[in-house]
């Protein structure tokens, strides 16, 4: 039986029209022999607007719906319908770059002490042009606590993009999945992972992060200073608490 990478996607109705491009980028991925992927899509809501954009004939694709709770809740609930030892995030409006899955997989398969991986990300603008994400680290391992320190020193901007996360499923489950926040839920997961395990950064582009008028992070509420301060406080408190417990992945033998 093949080993499996689970691609988890949360979607709300306005972003559904971008799903065919996300699917095409997934189909273009090449994996080593003995590996396959499963795409689990969960709508944050129960509309009739998402299903028409899905590849109905592909048995590797699983679609579920549920009451709205935000992208973090949708992704975490998607895990109930996923079977695989690795989980890759792919937002509904983003696209994987060629070779992204194989590079993430190779990094973690080569070193059992790595719990997660991220990759270089480019903003994809409406005109099709791309803009580099500033401050990328050098390719290689990311030591525990590095992301938290740089995030705190740079106005809560992480040095790697949480939308490109690739993580061991058992570690993701142990941390409770994504944080129950209206936004920054993926940053919260990234900092929790950083608190307990070493990661990996691939300097090769792995993700195209779409910028468009309908994206949730473009809404004024996302940058409301009161809510933002509360989100950042909770995210930081969780990461520091995990660090103080001295729990590490993998567990020392």
């Amino acid at each position: 039986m093949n080993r499996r990478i689970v691609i988890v996607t949360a979607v709300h109705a306005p972003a559904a029209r971008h799903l065919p491009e996300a699917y095409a980028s997934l189909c273009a991925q090449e994996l080593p022999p003995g590996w396959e992927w499963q795409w689990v899509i969960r709508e944050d809501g129960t509309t009739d607007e998402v299903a028409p954009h899905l590849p109905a004939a592909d048995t590797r694709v699983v679609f579920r719906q549920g009451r709205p709770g935000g992208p973090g809740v949708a992704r975490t609930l998607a895990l109930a319908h996923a079977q695989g030892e690795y989980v890759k995030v792919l937002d509904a409006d983003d696209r994987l770059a060629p070779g992204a899955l194989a590079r993430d997989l190779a990094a973690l398969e080569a070193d059992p002490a790595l719990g997660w991986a991220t990759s270089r990300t480019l903003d994809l603008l409406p005109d099709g042009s791309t803009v580099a994400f500033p401050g990328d680290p050098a390719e290689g391992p990311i030591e525990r606590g590095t992301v938290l320190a740089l995030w705190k020193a740079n106005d809560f901007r992480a040095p790697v993009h949480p939308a490109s996360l690739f993580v061991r499923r058992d570690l993701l489950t142990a941390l409770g999945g994504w944080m129950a926040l209206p936004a920054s839920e993926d940053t919260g997961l990234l900092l929790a992972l950083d608190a307990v395990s070493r990661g990996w950064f691939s300097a090769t582009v792995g993700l195209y992060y779409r910028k468009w008028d309908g994206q949730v992070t473009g809404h004024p509420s996302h940058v409301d200073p009161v809510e933002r301060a509360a989100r950042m406080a909770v995210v930081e408190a969780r990461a520091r608490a995990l660090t103080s417990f001295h729990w590490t992945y993998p567990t020392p033998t």
Side-chain angles (χ1 to χ4, degrees):
M1 180 180 293
N2 285 348
R3 300 170 71 186
R4 181 179 288 173
I5 300 168
V6 179
I7 318 301
V8 170
T9 296
V11 61
H12 68 314
R17 62 189 175 93
H18 298 297
L19 285 170
E21 288 188 54
Y23 176 65
S25 75
L26 186 51
C27 289
Q29 300 296 307
E30 296 184 2
L31 293 175
W35 283 90
E36 63 184 10
W37 54 259
Q38 176 193 37
W39 192 21
V40 182
I41 304 160
R42 185 174 178 93
E43 181 182 358
D44 187 36
T46 53
T47 73
D48 296 325
E49 300 176 42
V50 175
H53 299 279
L54 300 176
D58 194 332
T59 58
R60 298 172 296 179
V61 179
V62 177
F63 175 56
R64 295 290 185 272
Q65 297 172 293
R67 58 177 174 168
V73 172
R75 292 192 203 102
T76 301
L77 285 172
L79 294 176
H81 310 285
Q83 297 180 345
E85 53 203 282
Y86 293 104
V87 175
K88 175 71 172 178
V89 181
L90 178 60
D91 288 346
D93 50 0
D94 293 345
R95 294 183 353 218
L96 294 176
L101 288 185
R103 288 188 293 273
D104 290 342
L105 179 64
L108 269 62
E109 283 286 287
D111 188 350
L114 296 175
W116 52 277
T118 54
S119 58
R120 187 176 183 223
T121 299
L122 299 181
D123 284 344
L124 178 61
L125 304 184
D127 64 1
S129 62
T130 57
V131 177
F133 184 72
D136 286 337
E139 175 153 343
I142 300 175
E143 300 301 325
R144 290 177 58 207
T146 300
V147 176
L148 174 61
L150 292 174
W151 173 84
K152 184 71 172 179
N154 289 279
D155 191 31
F156 309 121
R157 187 179 182 92
V160 294
H161 208 304
S164 68
L165 267 173
F166 180 94
V167 59
R168 298 185 191 275
R169 182 188 176 130
D170 57 352
L171 176 56
L172 174 63
T173 303
L175 292 173
W178 287 263
M179 291 190 75
L181 295 172
S184 307
E185 77 293 332
D186 52 358
T187 298
L189 173 59
L190 172 64
L191 292 186
L193 290 166
D194 170 68
V196 302
S197 66
R198 298 168 68 235
W200 178 270
F201 178 75
S202 173
T204 303
V205 174
L207 183 73
Y208 295 102
Y209 182 80
R210 189 186 303 273
K211 295 286 190 177
W212 59 290
D213 290 342
Q215 66 186 144
V216 174
T217 54
H219 293 174
S221 59
H222 184 72
V223 293
D224 175 77
V226 175
E227 182 190 289
R228 183 174 185 264
R231 296 198 315 264
M232 299 306 104
V234 173
V235 164
E236 180 177 358
R238 182 196 194 194
R240 294 200 183 281
L242 285 168
T243 301
S244 72
F245 295 155
H246 302 291
W247 183 76
T248 61
Y249 183 94
T251 303
T253 57

